[in-house]
Amino acid sequence: MRRSSIRLALLLGTAMLILLPSGAYAMHISEGILPPGWAALWYLVAAPFLWWGIRDVKKKSAAQPKFKILVAMVGAAVFIISCMPIPVPTAGTCSHPCGTGLGAIIIGPGPTIVVASIALLLQALFLAHGGITTLGADIVSMGVGGALSGYFMFVMLRRLKLNYFVCAFASGLISDWVTYAITSTALATALHGDGDFLKMFLAIVIAFIPTQLPLGVLEGFLSAGAYRFVRARRPELLQLEEVPA
Amino acid sequence: MKKHALPLSCIVTAIVLAISIPLHADDAEEPEGKWSGVDETVVEKFAEEAGRPPRDPYINVGEGDMLLFCFLVAGVIGGFIGGYYFRVLFKEDKEPAK
């Protein structure tokens, strides 16, 4: 079968998968779950990272105007990836990758926090996916945790001279797991009440494992495949945020 | 595009869709809880046990055609900003012509 037809079919199939109506299945903390005090605290935690990310976007855009277009493209990718439900047969549930690990190794962690925040805001406003009061906690888990863990994992493995595919795979995997670990922390800290925090935290983590363990591996392959594709086809894009080995 | 590329594309697309559509089947056709998201099976479950069930969105755009209206407004605003900053966004490289 010709490669052009496979490419066209995959493109059409992917487009249809996105356009077909589907529920939003997610790690996002829904509206009203966090008490007001905890919701405000997570906003305060997210704010300095968001400010740093906006400064980083401005600085890099001033040096290279095309960086803004790349940021917009990565933002669109993070938006789609983070509301893409994937069934996990081993658990019988659905969840989604986050895309922030991939974003961080393409445009850097700061700009990824900015695009993740925008994606989460749009999802909360238009898709009832997360919530306005829980936006701060969602930004910290998916934006800050996902981007920073993915980026530092990539940098660390590159310094160990591992190849780009392995580094990008580990970046996607770790960013996914760290995101859900922070979500578990946010839930356990706010909801443990008189009970033991650690006990509740472990209970939530264990509940996430059947779904997120395989999905993290899938996100690793997604990140590695996408990174290798960009590196093979448009390596000049990665020079904007090159990580030295 | 080559001679047989289009028919082959249609066949492969049909196969991709045949596989994908059951994944998007309406939840009502599934047994209760089957393929639920982890927001329901984990996040909301623990929240309800702790006495903090999720509430409806503060800004509910899912009523009637409100969602379409919101996308229209977002499109107008986004389109205006994109158009206004067109030259900034799509600035040509200032390299001397060879």
Side-chain angles (χ1 to χ4, degrees):
Chain A
M1 195 177 289
R2 290 180 193 283
R3 291 179 71 183
S4 58
S5 49
I6 295 172
R7 276 188 210 142
L8 182 62
L10 285 174
L11 187 71
L12 289 171
T14 308
M16 290 302 289
L17 274 171
I18 292 164
L19 293 172
L20 281 167
S22 61
Y25 305 104
M27 103 302 158
H28 302 63
I29 301 173
S30 306
E31 192 77 89
I33 285 181
L34 295 181
W38 282 105
L41 180 73
W42 287 110
Y43 265 104
L44 285 176
V45 174
F49 290 101
L50 195 53
W51 177 76
W52 167 64
I54 292 167
R55 270 193 60 183
D56 205 25
V57 171
K58 281 184 179 171
K59 203 172 94 183
K60 286 175 179 166
S61 302
Q64 174 58 270
K66 281 184 179 174
F67 185 71
K68 275 183 191 166
I69 300 169
L70 186 61
V71 169
M73 292 298 290
V74 170
V78 169
F79 180 83
I80 291 295
I81 291 170
S82 62
C83 55
M84 188 168 69
I86 294 176
V88 180
T90 51
T93 53
C94 284
S95 189
H96 64 75
C98 302
T100 42
L102 174 65
I105 59 177
I106 293 178
I107 59 171
T112 303
I113 293 169
V114 177
V115 296
S117 304
I118 295 167
L120 287 165
L121 176 66
L122 293 176
Q123 288 166 1
L125 285 175
F126 297 122
L127 305 176
H129 197 171
I132 298 298
T133 57
T134 54
L135 184 64
D138 288 336
I139 289 172
V140 173
S141 63
M142 197 179 97
V144 178
L148 290 178
S149 61
Y151 182 78
F152 286 120
M153 176 55 70
F154 188 86
V155 172
M156 198 174 71
L157 296 182
R158 278 299 297 150
R159 290 199 173 141
L160 294 173
K161 312 278 186 199
L162 293 177
N163 74 43
Y164 280 107
F165 190 86
V166 174
C167 297
F169 174 84
S171 171
L173 177 87
I174 289 301
S175 72
D176 187 280
W177 289 351
V178 166
T179 296
Y180 282 84
I182 296 175
T183 301
S184 305
T185 308
L187 285 171
T189 48
L191 304 177
H192 72 89
D194 296 331
D196 184 24
F197 161 76
L198 195 61
K199 195 176 167 189
M200 186 164 193
F201 171 75
L202 288 175
I204 298 170
V205 167
I206 289 166
F208 271 134
I209 283 175
T211 311
Q212 289 314 127
L213 200 71
L215 206 72
V217 176
L218 180 78
E219 174 143 19
F221 281 113
L222 177 80
S223 299
Y227 190 82
R228 193 166 76 166
F229 184 81
V230 174
R231 192 163 183 78
R233 300 295 175 95
R234 298 290 304 274
E236 71 276 13
L237 292 180
L238 299 174
Q239 286 166 11
L240 298 172
E241 185 56 45
E242 193 62 80
V243 179
Chain B
M1 192 176 282
K2 304 287 182 190
K3 192 180 171 186
H4 301 295
L6 191 60
L8 285 172
S9 303
C10 294
I11 293 167
V12 178
T13 305
I15 294 167
V16 171
L17 286 177
I19 295 165
S20 66
I21 285 171
L23 299 179
H24 289 268
D26 195 81
D27 288 350
E29 294 171 14
E30 297 287 351
E32 187 75 10
K34 182 80 171 167
W35 303 122
S36 297
V38 288
D39 54 344
E40 287 175 35
T41 60
V42 179
V43 178
E44 289 176 14
K45 178 176 161 274
F46 280 94
E48 279 167 13
E49 282 173 7
R52 297 281 310 177
R55 51 153 292 151
D56 286 339
Y58 286 105
I59 306 165
N60 193 351
V61 294
E63 293 171 338
D65 279 347
M66 277 302 288
L67 188 59
L68 281 176
F69 173 74
C70 288
F71 273 112
L72 174 72
V73 172
V76 168
I77 294 170
F80 178 80
I81 294 170
Y84 193 84
Y85 289 107
F86 181 82
R87 285 180 182 82
V88 178
L89 284 170
F90 300 100
K91 196 171 162 184
E92 293 293 325
D93 289 335
K94 289 179 181 173
E95 287 177 10
K98 289 179 183 175

